[in-house]
Amino acid sequence: MDCTPLKDLSRNSYRWKIMVRITRMSEFRSPEKSTIYTLDFVAVDQQNFTMEGLVPGNRVDQFKDQLKEGCVYTIDKFDLSDPKKTYRSVDHPLRICFSMRTVLIEVLPPPENFPKFTYTALPFSRLSDRIDEKIVLSDVVGLVNKVTAVLPPSRNAKSHKRQVYITDGSEPAIVTLWGEQADLFDVDGLIDLSNEEPVIVLFVGMTVSQYSGLLAFKSTSVTRWYVNVPILEIAAVRERSKNMPSRIELQGGKQNDVDPTASSIIEIATFEPNDIMVAPDSSGRPKRKNVGTIKNPKTKKGLHFSDDD
């Protein structure tokens, strides 16, 4: 039985067989994390068409040891279901749904030139139209110029984070990676790489919002990133940013470093208030005094301010 391209799948028949690479696997769990409701993934075929898919909770034990992110499979005897109502990884009217009868076979070796990931990266000008969009997640490409250390939870957040400052060559933006995503981001490796070449990253599976007038992208459970991959969007950012510094700056390299950092007003505007110069005192409690000084460039006089002001 020949494999059907994902673009040709419909509910008119259930006798489909597909060959796809599995990407962006994630678990949708109960609030207490003890139960897996669904095992979700994105499938991409050899023609670079994409669909979301899921393994229902009652089938997870049957397939979780077989299904591996990055591998290519033929999948037969599956169902088609409605897409998620919100936060879809790709925009498609259907989802692949595993059943008890589904047959999953890994293809070894995988065919040559089979897409390794899928993305729909839009320019910043179009991503601004997707602020607070909740139906489909967004993908973005940017030159990385600054990264923070892992920051503790602020305000009502439940998880730690890391902020990545990017530019498309014309405008700046902020990427916030939460929890495990923050831990997995290889800051040291990227800083080393930036000494040799610009580090331009494709981030996929992001929400879009706005912070201090800048585009702000936040990670989700399906967020992934790809560094200096050979795609047109990265080549375009490389060309637009060719005259910009490529060395990545680490902001707040030490968690307990209370020494002030010289920053422009534009840079200060991108900081979250609770993240500026927060460090524990001798009792271990957060300390926010001696936040900084703003100087008039003409008079050289400064205005000192602190959290107590």
Side-chain angles (χ1 to χ4, degrees):
M1 180 179 179
D2 293 334
C3 292
T4 302
L6 293 180
K7 67 180 180 65
D8 293 334
L9 296 186
S10 73
R11 284 195 166 117
N12 294 332
S13 172
Y14 286 90
R15 300 184 61 184
W16 305 114
K17 180 179 180 181
I18 58 175
M19 182 185 295
V20 296
R21 188 184 298 275
I22 301 298
T23 69
R24 304 194 212 177
M25 288 182 62
S26 63
E27 296 176 349
F28 177 44
R29 289 180 172 266
S30 59
E32 70 279 4
K33 307 298 183 182
S34 60
T35 303
I36 300 177
Y37 290 148
T38 60
L39 181 62
D40 300 324
F41 60 87
V42 174
V44 54
D45 68 12
Q46 204 157 9
Q47 297 180 22
N48 213 25
F49 289 100
T50 59
M51 283 182 70
E52 284 189 310
L54 76 151
V55 180
N58 60 349
R59 300 268 76 90
V60 168
D61 288 343
Q62 180 180 348
F63 293 105
K64 67 178 181 180
D65 292 333
Q66 301 179 55
L67 200 62
K68 304 295 182 183
E69 183 165 342
C71 294
V72 176
Y73 299 91
T74 58
I75 306 176
D76 194 10
K77 299 179 181 178
F78 56 90
D79 298 328
L80 293 173
S81 65
D82 292 332
K84 291 187 290 187
K85 293 182 179 180
T86 57
Y87 302 116
R88 303 174 194 167
S89 293
V90 297
D91 192 10
H92 196 287
L94 296 170
R95 272 196 298 176
I96 300 162
C97 183
F98 281 33
S99 71
M100 180 178 63
R101 299 173 57 250
T102 297
V103 178
L104 182 72
I105 300 175
E106 186 175 358
V107 179
L108 291 173
E112 292 185 9
N113 300 320
F114 207 104
K116 290 183 169 56
F117 55 89
T118 179
Y119 71 98
T120 306
L122 299 175
F124 281 17
S125 58
R126 291 184 59 189
L127 286 167
S128 62
D129 296 332
R130 305 190 72 175
I131 290 173
D132 297 329
E133 163 69 44
K134 294 184 178 180
I135 296 177
V136 180
L137 297 171
S138 297
D139 309 333
V140 61
V141 170
L143 169 72
V144 178
N145 50 43
K146 182 164 55 179
V147 182
T148 69
V150 173
L151 303 169
S154 59
R155 298 177 188 172
N156 296 322
K158 296 181 179 180
S159 179
H160 58 281
K161 65 184 178 182
R162 187 190 299 277
Q163 290 183 310
V164 182
Y165 296 79
I166 64 172
T167 177
D168 66 349
S170 301
E171 300 177 36
I174 306 172
V175 173
T176 300
L177 302 174
W178 295 98
E180 184 181 10
Q181 307 280 11
D183 298 331
L184 292 174
F185 198 71
D186 183 14
V187 174
D188 292 338
L190 293 182
I191 289 176
D192 289 343
L193 180 60
S194 73
N195 291 321
E196 303 174 7
E197 61 178 318
V199 173
I200 305 174
V201 180
L202 164 66
F203 293 93
V204 301
M206 312 290 289
T207 62
V208 187
S209 59
Q210 196 170 36
Y211 184 79
S212 296
L214 301 180
L215 279 174
F217 303 94
K218 296 181 180 180
S219 69
T220 67
S221 60
V222 297
T223 293
R224 302 290 187 273
W225 51 86
Y226 307 95
V227 179
N228 288 351
V229 289
I231 60 175
L232 294 177
E233 291 82 358
I234 282 185
V237 171
R238 180 178 289 112
E239 177 62 24
R240 288 197 300 270
S241 61
K242 62 184 178 182
N243 295 322
M244 294 182 173
S246 63
R247 174 97 163 92
I248 296 175
E249 174 190 344
L250 178 61
Q251 178 182 304
K254 295 181 180 180
Q255 292 289 142
N256 60 353
D257 187 0
V258 297
D259 292 334
T261 299
S263 300
S264 68
I265 294 297
I266 294 176
E267 290 175 320
I268 291 173
T270 67
F271 299 161
E272 290 199 21
N274 287 358
D275 294 337
I276 299 177
M277 300 302 295
V278 177
D281 59 20
S282 58
S283 67
R285 300 178 61 186
K287 180 176 63 177
R288 295 182 174 87
K289 294 184 179 180
N290 292 327
V291 174
T293 302
I294 296 178
K295 289 187 176 181
N296 184 318
K298 294 183 178 180
T299 64
K300 305 299 182 181
K301 293 182 178 180
L303 172 63
H304 176 80
F305 63 96
S306 74
D307 190 62
D308 294 333
D309 291 342

